[in-house]
Amino acid sequence: MNRLLNERKDLIETLRSKGIRNERVLKALGKVERQLFVLPPFARKAYEDTALPIASGQTISQPYTVAFMTEQLDPKSDGKILEIGTGSGYQAAVLAELGCRVFTIERHMELHLQSRKLLEQLGYRVASKCGDGTVGWTEFSPYDGIIVTAAAPQVPDPLISQLADGGRLVIPVGDTETQDLRVITKTGETLEQRDVHGFKFVPLIGKMGWER
Ligand code: SAM
């Protein structure tokens, strides 16, 4: 138990040394037990700063990527956040630790069911569904923030429409090999956009993403 706690603390120091500055984000990552979100054979690698395989041929993102994207999203406590690509549920748990009201969509039923069960067991307040997240989740829109954890060929229009005034969308955009992280802030009808870093994500597959 102590070993895991120490490994988690070391990971937070690694993230800090790689440039993550937001203490709220670091604290949230320091609370989530990543070993519970990975496949059992990879549990001993849970606190390495690396992406790891999860069910359905997908991956749990590298902790640095989770921290960086969350820092860019900069969610307020109690903000309403939509995540596209639930995967293991780890990013959703980090957002819940930040006090956000989290809505998350996953296209693979296996991952949706597993992550829902785990998040419930851990007591995280997260609403989830299985479906194509490229069209968003209109029922609960608008969102203060939308975070997409798979790579899109372009920004899906429905996600822009479902952003609240002052809301922010964080999404990797590019080809299937490398992407830039696009950060879009909506103010009235105006969209302010900046691109940061080179990243590598699994593809966003769906109506407004890559084709199956
Ligand atoms: N946020 C995840 C975590 O914390 O484990 C990382 C997930 S992985 C990098 C990206 C996920 O996006 C995969 O589980 C994949 O199945 C999912 N995905 C891809 N296209 C999707 C879509 N159109 N709608 C919902 N989920 C999608």
Side-chain angles (χ1 to χ4, degrees), residues 2-179:
N2 269 346
R3 177 181 62 83
L4 291 173
L5 198 61
N6 287 336
E7 285 184 6
R8 202 148 63 240
K9 279 187 182 156
D10 288 348
L11 173 64
I12 300 310
E13 287 318 306
T14 302
L15 299 178
R16 211 188 289 279
S17 72
K18 289 184 175 178
I20 303 299
R21 290 282 170 266
N22 187 316
E23 288 300 325
R24 285 179 64 231
V25 171
L26 289 168
K27 194 170 166 200
L29 268 98
K31 284 194 180 162
V32 181
E33 299 187 71
R34 192 170 185 256
Q35 80 276 5
L36 303 176
F37 293 82
V38 303
L39 293 171
F42 297 98
R44 65 191 169 76
K45 286 175 168 278
Y47 294 103
E48 291 178 15
D49 189 20
T50 179
L52 291 170
I54 55 174
S56 305
Q58 302 302 311
T59 53
I60 179 173
S61 304
Q62 181 186 353
Y64 173 77
T65 303
V66 174
F68 188 79
M69 289 182 81
T70 310
E71 195 169 60
Q72 295 301 316
L73 189 69
D74 194 20
K76 306 274 170 295
S77 182
D78 212 36
K80 198 205 287 185
I81 306 296
L82 175 65
E83 179 198 23
I84 313 299
T86 318
S88 68
Y90 179 74
Q91 171 78 70
V94 169
L95 291 166
E97 281 288 354
L98 282 161
C100 301
R101 289 170 290 153
V102 185
F103 298 81
T104 183
I105 309 174
E106 169 57 52
R107 65 181 286 269
H108 286 288
M109 183 58 82
E110 182 186 23
L111 285 171
H112 161 66
L113 293 175
Q114 281 179 2
S115 58
R116 170 181 273 194
K117 190 172 166 201
L118 178 59
L119 290 164
E120 261 175 30
Q121 277 170 356
L122 296 174
Y124 288 116
R125 195 177 51 150
V126 173
S128 61
K129 74 168 181 177
C130 185
D132 177 7
T134 64
V135 295
W137 195 345
T138 45
E139 199 181 341
F140 299 103
S141 68
Y143 301 96
D144 302 310
I146 301 179
I147 182 166
V148 182
T149 66
Q154 72 274 313
V155 178
D157 287 339
L159 301 186
I160 298 283
S161 314
Q162 290 173 35
L163 265 188
D165 192 6
R168 184 171 287 179
L169 168 64
V170 177
I171 178 169
V173 180
D175 57 32
T176 48
E177 288 308 310
T178 58
Q179 306 90 32

